[in-house]
Amino acid sequence: MLRSVWVDYARKGDPDVIFVGRLRDGEPAALVVRGFRPYFYVEAEDGFDPSRLEDLSGVVRVEEVERRHPYSGERVELYRVEVTYPKVVPKLREQVKELDGVKEVYEADIPFVRRAAIDLNVPPASEIDVSGLEEGSWSGLPAYFADAEEARELDHRPYPLDELVVASFDIEVLAEPGTTTKESSGPVISISFSYRTPDGERKNYVFTWKGEEAEFTVDGVETEVVVCESEAAMLREFVERFRRVDPDVVFTYNGDEFDLPYLKRRADRLGVDVDGLARPPGKRGIVIRPGAARQASDIFGRAHVDLYHTAQKNLKLERFTLEEAVRDVLGVDKEELELDEINEAWKRGDLEKLFRYSAEDAHYTLELGLELAQVELELSYLTRLPLPDAVRFSFGQLAEWRALYLARREGILAPNKPSRDEYERRRREAYKGAIVFEPEIGLHENVVCVDFASLYPNVMVHHNISPDTFDCDCCPEVTVEEADDPAEATVTPSVGHKFCRKREGFFPRLVKRLIKRRREYKARLREVDPDEEPKKYKLLDVRQQAYKVLANSYYGYMGWANARWYCRECAESVTAWGRYYIRKVREIAEEKYGLKVVYGDTDSLFLKLPDADLSETIDRVKEFLEYVNERLPVELELEDVYERILFVTKKKYAGYTTEGKIVTKGLEVVRRDWAPIARETQRRVLKRILEDNDPDAALKEIHRVLDRLRSGEVDLDELAVTSQLTKRPSEYVQKGPHVRAALRLARRLGTEPEPGTIVRYVIVRGPGSVSDKAYPVELAREEGKEPDIDYYIEHQILPAVERIMKALGYSRSQIVGETTSQKTLDQFMG
DNA sequence: GCGGACTGCTTACCT
DNA sequence: ACAGGTAAGCAGTCCGCG
């Protein structure tokens, strides 16, 4: 059993495909697959002479093959052009396109290793049964050899990450003033390194070249500070120790953009060889691939997992720093060292604290990885993408790669990516999405929330919505009104698109399988006691999550302008059926069960039974659910029961569940572009109203904050608004406060703010517009700027609390006024 | 010349 | 950069007024 973590191909001779990993007994090893070559497809006019392809230099073989067309589903005749080497594909592709009689070239843009993992059906991150294969060695590693046909027969399965040697590292550098981390080349002052073996052995290291050797523990793990002669010696020591630990998976936080490229740059400058990081040693240790948006950095023979991507995709944070991610996932308040603090501590020789923080960085990066990365491995397995790439890819890309894999298996030709023009054209064709019902504004008691389980995936499956079933020639038009069962209809309500009922579509089949497998995992999950077997439980849970995430991605995928299988009519039909079902159940709830819909969004309804208590309401809702679930192909479920719930506008509400949990959606409390003081005040007001049912106490909260603000004892941090730049400052048509603040900060640092930069700013006292008065927090503090208290009262606190109190029927004067009228909440209950 | 109404740009949320 | 629907702030312009 080889637990593979990495795939590459031999750069000399034939392009053998090499999977690197570790055997179950602990030995590093490789699987070498011979006899698989790059290829692409050519569609040509009748009478095209294939020898013209064979004559091109680099072409090994041309074969006539039959595939299924991705849109019509019909057979297409193609030439499969097999070539010598991955590098020749781009050139040949262009040459072939120029030939007379060639209509189109397909699948010529799929990187060779990914192509190989798909075609050989060997998931790059999986446990592969290599028993019985020819044994030998490859570049000094024990190796198993298979030809392409043998490889396709190998058994494989996903494995638990912590059964491998996992490690993490993080570097601290002295940044030169006025440079961004991207271009800085100041010295690396320390490297922290943390690892864990499958039998639970753990250790942290800090490698440095100043200060004193020391030992301490971080979170109970032994930590050693190793002081080297020089920076170069430190780099060599790190490489050596890393090599001896020999990790399979290496976690970093932003290693793609920072730690790995920086390390490489610095090592190159000092003449230190980092190729020892590779497995086997001697390969290129750090491989940097420039990307359109972000660059990728890999370590040969190991899986570099940059958790920054994982955090961005899976967590909802205000700022995506390691500290925030660690707090959110592990509940640990790790302190952050500012850039100048690092500089200062290093220069002063005040190093103890520095080393401790540095050790914590690697330690918690590893902890974070152990917590978050398993789902990435499952997604890597399902998409056949190498683990480091699966981590970097968006959900849309992951959905596409799974489709590419299954298309290959089913003999379906993959559509090409759209040209720039086509992409722009697609972007302009908007379509209707979900429906949001008007909320009954105000406070309600005993409200039950119901929602459809995986509405869009199920709609796709039940209505056979797919690029290859759209507008078929074989089925009659049957509208939902004509059909006995909605699932019998071929025509989508509201938009009128027709989908085939005779042949199952590619996407419905794909999504159905994901749903089915997920259901199986969930069933197995119910058999496991999380207290008895926490590891097993977690693994199964992560697995079902991966299936769910993927299944949920296909609706959005079909409407994505960049998708190979783009199908606007499909996406449009999914939302149309969604609207049909939610309207249908709303009608049944109201007309047949007397349940009032006080709000609803896309796939959910908030229901209330007038003049009834909680248990009556729940009983009625259950009867209703049973009725609709017997009659519709999609399943409606009871989601939450609210003791009290306040609807403010569409997409903004807050409720208190019978389980004692406050749920807040869309309100300022959950928005990072509102000042903490406004959010906190709104939170308190909501708590008073929902939990205590006491609006007077809510008013008192408001007055207390207003007093505190006026007294001037509020820290700038409480006033800081967080906002993100989505483009370069110069590209803005309208330079709002966050742009102006970013520009002020950039001017001070002598840099240009990049898209994605997160700005924290305050509005200070002075003349001009709000933007004129927006300063980054650091700058405002440094320059002793006073916050504009009137702004914060009028534009932050009051709007936030007014929205709540107005929904309860309070007027502005009642909110601001010193005395409050004694209105009771009951007057405003619907 | 003033001020409210309105529009467009922008962000961050919901499902 | 997987989708569309939505609220809301700020900047700038429009428009009516007499």
Side-chain angles (χ1 to χ4, degrees):
Chain A
M1 288 291 170
L2 174 73
R3 286 174 179 146
S4 166
V5 295
W6 172 258
V7 57
D8 208 328
Y9 67 91
R11 315 264 153 175
K12 282 184 191 141
D14 287 338
D16 295 343
V17 181
I18 296 134
F19 298 83
V20 181
R22 187 181 293 277
L23 298 173
R24 256 204 193 158
D25 69 9
E27 277 301 300
L31 165 67
V32 180
V33 182
R34 293 162 167 162
F36 180 74
R37 287 187 184 281
Y39 68 88
F40 56 87
Y41 298 110
V42 175
E43 183 185 22
E45 284 164 14
D46 287 344
F48 177 80
D49 178 9
S51 68
R52 294 171 59 203
L53 295 170
E54 282 160 1
D55 291 345
L56 294 169
S57 145
V59 172
V60 175
R61 200 154 63 110
V62 177
E63 203 186 342
E64 256 188 81
V65 293
E66 204 181 67
R67 296 285 183 261
R68 273 162 55 207
H69 192 275
Y71 285 97
S72 70
E74 282 164 18
R75 314 238 155 245
V76 262
E77 301 278 330
L78 300 158
Y79 295 105
R80 181 185 189 274
V81 181
E82 192 169 306
V83 307
T84 50
Y85 214 65
K87 289 253 154 62
V88 308
V89 171
K91 210 178 97 197
L92 272 172
R93 171 176 68 202
E94 298 310 315
Q95 286 177 356
V96 168
K97 274 187 200 162
E98 295 303 310
L99 293 178
D100 279 341
V102 167
K103 287 201 273 190
E104 191 60 271
V105 172
Y106 290 100
E107 303 194 24
D109 56 354
I110 298 174
F112 180 61
V113 287
R114 294 185 204 156
R115 169 95 273 169
I118 285 174
D119 281 57
L120 299 170
N121 194 19
V122 179
S126 69
E127 184 173 86
I128 307 160
D129 187 352
V130 291
S131 56
L133 293 180
E134 178 195 335
E135 293 180 35
S137 91
W138 177 80
S139 292
L141 277 184
Y144 296 82
F145 292 85
D147 57 38
E149 286 65 44
E150 281 177 289
R152 289 192 182 96
E153 301 301 314
L154 296 175
D155 279 338
H156 50 74
R157 62 191 68 86
Y159 54 75
L161 266 180
D162 59 3
E163 286 182 15
L164 291 174
V165 179
V166 291
S168 65
F169 81 96
D170 179 81
I171 65 174
E172 309 294 338
V173 305
L174 282 191
E176 292 150 338
T179 57
T180 63
T181 50
K182 236 183 174 160
E183 59 208 19
S184 162
S185 53
V188 177
I189 56 176
S190 70
I191 305 172
S192 55
F193 176 54
S194 181
Y195 72 87
R196 181 186 186 281
T197 65
D199 50 26
E201 182 196 325
R202 291 193 65 153
K203 179 133 188 208
N204 301 328
Y205 287 101
V206 178
F207 302 104
T208 183
W209 45 282
K210 222 164 124 175
E212 286 176 22
E213 307 249 316
E215 280 184 26
F216 50 88
T217 62
V218 171
D219 190 24
V221 173
E222 191 192 322
T223 305
E224 186 183 341
V225 177
V226 180
V227 182
C228 306
E229 290 277 294
S230 62
E231 187 190 354
M234 172 190 73
L235 293 172
R236 277 191 289 269
E237 179 69 21
F238 167 63
V239 171
E240 176 56 21
R241 206 65 69 111
F242 186 94
R243 196 186 61 72
R244 264 192 272 158
V245 168
D246 193 16
D248 301 299
V249 179
V250 181
F251 297 118
T252 65
Y253 198 87
N254 206 22
D256 267 349
E257 293 268 344
F258 179 64
D259 299 75
L260 281 165
Y262 201 105
L263 206 58
K264 185 169 161 55
R265 214 162 47 224
R266 199 62 198 164
D268 284 349
R269 177 182 282 209
L270 296 172
V272 174
D273 185 1
V274 291
D275 289 347
L277 296 173
R279 180 170 66 190
K283 298 289 168 187
R284 281 184 306 157
I286 298 175
V287 188
I288 309 211
R289 272 183 288 153
R294 283 180 59 92
Q295 63 186 359
S297 307
D298 283 313
I299 303 172
F300 193 102
R302 314 182 193 274
H304 168 224
V305 171
D306 184 344
L307 295 167
Y308 177 74
H309 302 287
T310 306
Q312 286 240 323
K313 284 192 285 178
N314 299 295
L315 308 178
K316 198 183 143 260
L317 303 177
E318 244 163 77
R319 305 165 60 213
F320 284 89
T321 59
L322 174 61
E323 287 70 26
E324 289 286 322
V326 164
R327 181 172 312 134
D328 189 67
V329 175
L330 307 169
V332 172
D333 261 304
K334 196 180 88 59
E335 279 188 66
E336 187 178 357
L337 264 193
E338 301 288 336
L339 221 63
D340 41 344
E341 285 182 85
I342 296 174
N343 276 284
E344 192 54 30
W346 181 257
K347 281 179 186 136
R348 270 205 327 267
D350 180 12
L351 301 170
E352 251 175 75
K353 203 167 119 187
L354 184 66
F355 295 156
R356 174 165 279 279
Y357 283 179
S358 173
E360 281 177 357
D361 281 348
H363 177 84
Y364 287 112
T365 299
L366 183 60
E367 289 288 312
L368 206 58
L370 290 169
E371 203 59 45
L372 294 180
Q374 186 67 40
V375 71
E376 304 280 15
L377 188 127
E378 303 295 334
L379 288 168
S380 160
Y381 185 83
L382 288 174
T383 57
R384 303 311 196 243
L385 282 166
L387 178 56
D389 286 335
V391 170
R392 290 170 190 126
F393 280 19
S394 67
F395 291 121
Q397 288 171 298
L398 293 172
E400 180 154 285
W401 282 94
R402 171 128 184 115
L404 283 164
Y405 157 61
L406 289 170
R408 177 70 194 85
R409 271 194 13 184
E410 299 187 7
I412 296 170
L413 184 65
N416 284 326
K417 283 194 239 170
S419 65
R420 223 203 148 76
D421 282 356
E422 172 65 3
Y423 172 79
E424 292 300 336
R425 188 193 66 75
R426 290 176 178 184
R427 278 186 53 127
R428 282 194 296 273
E429 50 178 28
Y431 65 90
K432 250 179 137 176
I435 183 168
V436 185
F437 295 122
E438 204 57 56
E440 192 112 325
I441 292 165
L443 192 67
H444 303 265
E445 286 190 341
N446 304 334
V447 169
V448 179
C449 175
V450 297
D451 68 358
F452 285 114
S454 302
L455 179 63
Y456 287 175
N458 280 307
V459 162
M460 283 176 73
V461 169
H462 291 297
H463 296 287
N464 204 25
I465 294 170
S466 187
D468 57 331
T469 52
F470 169 56
D471 217 9
C472 70
D473 296 324
C474 57
C475 295
E477 298 206 346
V478 182
T479 62
V480 67
E481 288 80 16
E482 292 159 357
D484 296 331
D485 178 342
E488 299 292 319
T490 58
V491 176
T492 312
S494 138
V495 292
H497 301 311
K498 188 179 82 179
F499 290 89
C500 186
R501 286 228 65 80
K502 295 202 173 100
R503 283 177 300 108
E504 186 179 51
F506 176 47
F507 279 29
R509 182 163 58 248
L510 189 165
V511 171
K512 195 160 128 189
R513 270 184 47 183
L514 291 169
I515 294 175
K516 183 170 161 256
R517 299 252 192 97
R518 174 176 183 232
R519 219 176 294 137
E520 287 165 10
Y521 279 120
K522 286 197 87 167
R524 280 175 61 190
L525 200 59
R526 280 193 290 274
E527 311 277 295
V528 180
D529 182 342
D531 297 323
E532 300 245 328
E533 298 176 281
K535 265 188 156 177
K536 189 172 174 189
Y537 186 88
K538 246 185 173 168
L539 198 61
L540 286 169
D541 193 36
V542 159
R543 233 156 245 183
Q544 67 87 11
Q545 275 174 43
Y547 282 90
K548 181 184 178 176
V549 159
L550 222 44
N552 281 339
S553 300
Y554 283 95
Y555 149 67
Y557 175 78
M558 292 190 301
W560 178 32
N562 216 9
R564 288 174 190 266
W565 275 275
Y566 175 77
C567 176
R568 195 207 78 224
E569 294 86 351
C570 298
E572 189 169 49
S573 298
V574 173
T575 56
W577 276 112
R579 294 194 299 273
Y580 171 82
Y581 284 117
I582 198 73
R583 284 194 172 118
K584 190 95 199 158
V585 294
R586 172 180 189 153
E587 197 183 298
I588 296 170
E590 294 188 324
E591 289 175 8
K592 200 164 165 62
Y593 288 89
L595 289 160
K596 192 166 185 200
V597 172
V598 285
Y599 180 56
D601 184 349
T602 312
D603 60 354
S604 68
L605 292 176
F606 290 78
L607 302 168
K608 186 167 142 177
L609 187 59
D611 307 313
D613 66 18
L614 195 57
S615 75
E616 282 175 292
T617 308
I618 292 173
D619 288 347
R620 185 71 63 88
V621 167
K622 284 188 172 159
E623 287 168 36
F624 155 69
L625 290 179
E626 203 172 309
Y627 179 88
V628 296
N629 286 334
E630 257 172 39
R631 283 162 182 78
L632 296 179
V634 279
E635 200 192 349
L636 197 61
E637 297 176 321
L638 197 154
E639 178 68 19
D640 263 318
V641 180
Y642 292 94
E643 205 171 293
R644 261 186 292 282
I645 188 163
L646 176 74
F647 294 107
V648 178
T649 60
K650 285 179 175 180
K651 312 245 181 213
K652 290 187 189 236
Y653 63 88
Y656 182 64
T657 69
T658 47
E659 282 161 8
K661 182 180 67 169
I662 287 194
V663 175
T664 313
K665 299 288 180 184
L667 289 163
E668 286 68 20
V669 183
V670 300
R671 290 183 66 105
R672 67 177 180 192
D673 58 353
W674 282 76
I677 195 165
R679 297 164 62 186
E680 176 61 17
T681 310
Q682 191 184 56
R683 194 189 65 77
R684 287 167 186 264
V685 165
L686 284 169
K687 191 175 152 78
R688 293 297 188 191
I689 288 161
L690 296 169
E691 250 185 73
D692 312 335
N693 201 5
D694 187 352
D696 280 333
L699 289 174
K700 287 202 185 94
E701 295 281 3
I702 298 168
H703 298 149
R704 198 173 313 153
V705 171
L706 292 179
D707 288 345
R708 202 157 69 81
L709 252 177
R710 291 190 181 111
S711 77
E713 59 191 40
V714 176
D715 189 86
L716 286 188
D717 280 326
E718 282 187 81
L719 304 175
V721 170
T722 303
S723 189
Q724 186 172 28
L725 292 187
T726 58
K727 41 194 158 191
R728 259 165 246 295
S730 54
E731 292 169 71
Y732 278 91
V733 179
Q734 215 172 89
K735 293 185 180 26
H738 71 300
V739 183
R740 295 286 298 279
L743 282 170
R744 289 197 164 103
L745 186 64
R747 202 169 138 226
R748 157 59 66 85
L749 299 172
T751 55
E752 231 239 301
E754 302 232 355
T757 306
I758 287 177
V759 202
R760 285 178 70 236
Y761 65 91
V762 290
I763 304 302
V764 304
R765 228 165 13 199
S769 67
V770 175
S771 290
D772 291 335
K773 310 195 298 177
Y775 279 75
V777 180
E778 305 93 305
L779 214 62
R781 195 167 276 144
E782 226 175 271
E783 296 182 3
K785 301 268 186 199
E786 293 286 329
D788 183 345
I789 298 302
D790 286 338
Y791 170 84
Y792 281 96
I793 292 173
E794 292 297 326
H795 293 88
Q796 291 276 338
I797 304 288
L798 289 181
V801 297
E802 230 177 298
R803 261 188 275 286
I804 307 299
M805 300 312 287
K806 282 222 169 122
L808 292 169
Y810 282 78
S811 69
R812 189 187 172 114
S813 61
Q814 287 171 298
I815 298 164
V816 189
E818 286 304 306
T819 50
T820 61
S821 81
Q822 296 299 309
K823 277 189 167 179
T824 65
L825 280 177
D826 304 84
Q827 284 175 255
F828 301 98
M829 307 237 218

